[in-house]
Amino acid sequence: DQQVKQNSPSLSVQEGRISILNCDYTNSMFDYFLWYKKYPAEGPTFLISISSIKDKNEDGRFTVFLNKSAKHLSLHIVPSQPGDSAVYFCAATQYTGNQFYFGTGTSLTVIP
Amino acid sequence: KAGVTQTPRYLIKTRGQQVTLSCSPISGHRSVSWYQQTPGQGLQFLFEYFSETQRNKGNFPGRFSGRQFSNSRSEMNVSTLELGDSALYLCASRTGANTEAFFGQGTRLTVV
């Protein structure tokens, strides 16, 4: 049972435009959410996180939005750069938990 | 500060054999988790160790086991390998709850 879902396997965006990656979850007990970026043959790299007490968190070009009522989060990358081309995973966990639940990933391609 | 180190990076094993993978966490991190990544399945949680104790285990058969040593280094063992065990095995360490996990580069296991 996939508790975290990324329904778009791939996304292509022009350089300089906004990339929006989406993620849905089913477990209302999740209260900490993260985005990871992964290049081939490397481990995932932490990008940004958000706690359930917030609805937005920004870090440079990356912003994560959380809509708890819809059980939905999104990652906005503005402006998108070719180096952003990678697979992006969202993950969720509970404050008292000790495992992350990952989505299946969205492959982002930024076209120069 | 050194990152999470996984050894070996690549392994080829034959069906029926067993394999041991190693993970050295970031200094000071006492929580170590293991994940399996296969195409289309995202990252599936295997188990998590904290201070030499397994705190949580994912939905994998008993052929998958692990342990953690007093220096927080962790090993994962898979016995009686099957073709379906071919995957990227990722180790992650973190300081505690509601913090991001830092991943190693993974061990690519191929079972032939």
Side-chain angles (χ1 to χ4, degrees):
Chain A
D1 180 32
Q2 195 76 22
Q3 298 190 50
V4 177
K5 298 177 184 178
Q6 294 176 258
N7 293 318
S8 298
S10 62
L11 175 69
S12 290
V13 172
Q14 290 286 337
E15 180 179 3
R17 306 294 290 268
I18 184 171
S19 295
I20 300 176
L21 295 93
N22 294 304
C23 179
D24 297 295
Y25 61 95
T26 58
N27 189 339
S28 58
M29 299 298 290
F30 289 149
D31 54 15
Y32 187 59
F33 304 88
L34 310 92
W35 284 93
Y36 282 85
K37 175 181 179 179
K38 187 179 183 301
Y39 294 116
E42 293 185 14
T45 302
F46 170 73
L47 266 179
I48 191 169
S49 64
I50 188 167
S51 160
S52 61
I53 61 173
K54 294 184 174 182
D55 54 18
K56 178 182 174 182
N57 189 27
E58 284 181 87
D59 185 1
R61 296 187 298 116
F62 302 92
T63 302
V64 56
F65 294 92
L66 175 62
N67 182 333
K68 290 186 289 295
S69 60
K71 295 192 181 67
H72 177 83
L73 67 155
S74 60
L75 174 69
H76 292 209
I77 306 173
V78 184
S80 301
Q81 299 173 353
D84 296 330
S85 297
V87 177
Y88 289 78
F89 290 95
C90 67
T93 187
Q94 294 177 241
Y95 180 78
T96 56
N98 39 45
Q99 78 174 82
F100 291 138
Y101 295 83
F102 282 87
T104 51
T106 296
S107 178
L108 173 67
T109 301
V110 180
I111 304 164
Chain B
K1 202 175 196 181
V4 178
T5 303
Q6 291 188 246
T7 56
R9 290 291 311 278
Y10 302 94
L11 263 180
I12 300 176
K13 289 286 188 178
T14 305
R15 269 183 305 174
Q17 287 187 311
Q18 75 162 13
V19 66
T20 299
L21 312 181
S22 180
C23 171
S24 293
I26 292 172
S27 177
H29 288 192
R30 293 162 66 190
S31 169
V32 174
S33 301
W34 289 88
Y35 291 83
Q36 180 196 65
Q37 186 190 10
T38 53
Q41 292 295 315
L43 281 73
Q44 303 293 316
F45 174 76
L46 281 155
F47 25 67
E48 190 255 4
Y49 287 87
F50 185 88
S51 295
E52 303 178 66
T53 300
Q54 186 183 91
R55 295 200 297 188
N56 200 2
K57 190 178 192 308
N59 189 25
F60 278 82
R63 300 185 296 106
F64 291 80
S65 63
R67 59 178 176 169
Q68 186 181 33
F69 302 94
S70 58
N71 61 357
S72 293
R73 190 178 71 85
S74 177
E75 288 182 347
M76 190 191 94
N77 184 277
V78 188
S79 61
T80 320
L81 284 165
E82 300 176 359
L83 295 178
D85 296 333
S86 295
L88 180 67
Y89 290 89
L90 292 159
C91 166
S93 74
R94 59 198 295 215
T95 54
N98 268 15
T99 61
E100 64 271 24
F102 294 88
F103 283 85
Q105 290 188 294
T107 295
R108 170 70 65 184
L109 172 65
T110 302
V111 182
V112 297

